[in-house]
Amino acid sequence: MLLPTLRSVALVGGITAALLATVPAAAQGDALKEANQLFKQGQFDRALERVDTHLKANPKDARGRFLKGLILAEQRKPDDAIKVFTELTQEYPELPEPYNNLAVLYAAQGQYDKARSALEMAIRTHPSYATAHENLGDLYAKMASQAYDKALQLDKSNAAAQTKLNLIKEIFPTSPRPAKAAAAKPDATKVAVATPAQKPPAPVAQSPGKAAPAAKPAPIKPAAKPSNNPEEVLSALNRWAKAWSENDVPGYLAQYATDFKTPNGESRSNWEAQRKARIDKPRKIQVDVDSPKVVFRDSGRVTVTFRQHYRSDALSVTSTKTLVMVKAGDKWLIQQERVGG
């Protein structure tokens, strides 16, 4: 069972300001700034070249080393990234961010005990570090799901274990099976957040008095991209949460696009039956959305990341959720749903 990926700290600017004192101001030069910018743009090979240039002159710079760890993780070099973050925890044990990112890498490898230890260290060094607390909660969910699965393998009649496992699956929908690692392969649009959307082709104006030849009709131009109105997206998000809270199964399912990617690749009808069984019960459910962030993509889709507060008679969980939405007519509908940022 695949559960949500833990959140890494992807903003180098989040490093504690005390680190600046370890490197002269002049050393915080163009190479590191350029490497950070290239990293944000998804140009990881070039970013690594620039950060290595910076570290050659400033081998002890914690900011540069932290960025290098992030780049290596994005390049799918977890062992190298683990080495970088481990050295940072040894030299800067007061910083929670390297511990958190170690936990992310360990969890992706299935080393949950090491991930838990790293997160506990992050919280010990910084008790108010919300990201580490959230990751620890997600990690416990992963470990609990494994334990419940094992209990059911040993005793298929264990209704209590099945109920608890179902609750975890309800809060943390599994990722599509093609993704082998715990972290799903980043969407190609991820690195284009700061890039202005390309303008759609301009419509071809008809020349007065000239009709197009009947044998060669003019090609149909792509439809204009949906207007980037975040209020429309947030209204759709609230309709989804409201239908779920009111046990309104038809209203809830109506918020999903016809090409919705089901969590495990099952048929749409099977997925809808599972959701109906979990929602359409005589029990109280409350789903609240907090701090939504709307990002429009070049592909005509929109990504909404928010904090989801789920409460029922049996469970109360807060997690980060991401919805990928597409516009169908005048409505924004859910095309993909995952836990995590």
Side-chain angles (χ1 to χ4, degrees):
M1 176 182 179
L2 297 177
L3 281 171
T5 307
L6 305 187
R7 295 170 56 201
S8 63
V9 178
L11 297 178
V12 177
I15 289 293
T16 304
L19 292 179
L20 294 175
T22 66
V23 181
Q28 304 292 330
D30 294 338
L32 183 59
K33 292 179 181 178
E34 185 179 351
N36 195 13
Q37 187 63 33
L38 290 167
F39 171 76
K40 293 178 180 178
Q41 295 172 354
Q43 301 183 50
F44 303 126
D45 291 341
R46 291 182 59 196
L48 185 59
E49 291 176 1
R50 298 304 294 152
V51 80
D52 279 341
T53 297
H54 173 79
L55 290 174
K56 187 175 181 180
N58 308 279
K60 292 296 184 180
D61 178 27
R63 281 177 174 267
R65 292 161 66 189
F66 188 87
L67 177 56
K68 183 172 183 176
L70 294 175
I71 296 169
L72 291 170
E74 291 289 349
Q75 290 181 322
R76 302 295 188 267
K77 298 176 181 177
D79 292 339
D80 293 339
I82 286 173
K83 182 175 184 295
V84 170
F85 289 126
T86 298
E87 291 174 351
L88 283 172
T89 62
Q90 293 169 349
E91 296 179 36
Y92 300 93
E94 73 280 7
L95 298 178
E97 292 89 350
Y99 288 113
N100 178 79
N101 286 4
L102 268 179
V104 173
L105 293 163
Y106 284 139
Q109 295 179 340
Q111 301 187 64
Y112 295 145
D113 286 338
K114 286 186 176 181
R116 181 182 59 189
S117 296
L119 287 172
E120 289 174 346
M121 284 300 299
I123 293 171
R124 191 175 305 166
T125 62
H126 194 328
S128 60
Y129 189 27
T131 298
H133 283 284
E134 179 182 350
N135 280 344
L136 188 59
D138 288 348
L139 183 63
Y140 282 141
K142 286 174 181 277
M143 299 174 73
S145 71
Q146 290 185 334
Y148 293 141
D149 273 331
K150 184 64 175 179
L152 288 170
Q153 290 174 14
L154 298 174
D155 181 7
K156 290 183 171 57
S157 64
N158 190 333
Q162 184 64 65
T163 298
K164 294 172 183 177
L165 182 59
N166 287 341
L167 286 171
I168 292 177
K169 289 180 178 180
E170 183 171 337
I171 301 304
F172 301 106
T174 55
S175 303
R177 289 300 177 190
K180 295 181 180 179
K185 186 177 181 180
D187 191 295
T189 61
K190 180 179 179 181
V191 300
V193 174
T195 303
Q198 296 179 354
K199 295 181 180 179
V204 178
Q206 295 183 353
S207 300
K210 290 185 179 181
K216 294 182 179 181
I220 299 174
K221 293 296 179 181
K225 292 182 180 179
S227 59
N228 295 352
N229 185 349
E231 293 302 322
E232 293 180 358
V233 178
L234 294 178
S235 293
L237 178 64
N238 289 329
R239 285 195 300 271
W240 169 79
K242 183 174 183 290
W244 191 357
S245 297
E246 295 178 351
N247 303 90
D248 177 7
V249 176
Y252 172 84
L253 296 178
Q255 305 307 314
Y256 288 83
T258 55
D259 61 345
F260 171 66
K261 298 176 183 178
T262 57
N264 294 314
E266 67 268 45
S267 68
R268 177 65 176 259
S269 58
N270 286 345
W271 174 80
E272 288 189 354
Q274 293 172 9
R275 298 306 296 156
K276 184 177 187 299
R278 293 175 183 173
I279 297 173
D280 190 20
K281 290 183 178 180
R283 61 174 181 169
K284 181 180 179 181
I285 295 177
Q286 181 64 41
V287 180
D288 294 316
V289 171
D290 186 23
S291 303
K293 179 182 178 182
V294 179
V295 178
F296 289 91
R297 306 296 186 181
D298 288 349
S299 58
R301 298 183 298 172
V302 62
T303 299
V304 190
T305 302
F306 56 94
R307 296 283 290 167
Q308 174 182 290
H309 305 285
Y310 173 95
R311 293 182 296 277
S312 71
D313 297 335
L315 189 65
S316 178
V317 176
T318 295
S319 60
T320 298
K321 178 166 283 189
T322 298
L323 301 180
V324 178
M325 306 181 78
V326 294
K327 200 163 191 180
D330 60 349
K331 294 182 178 179
W332 284 98
L333 301 177
I334 302 168
Q335 187 182 57
Q336 189 175 354
E337 179 179 2
R338 61 178 180 267
V339 174

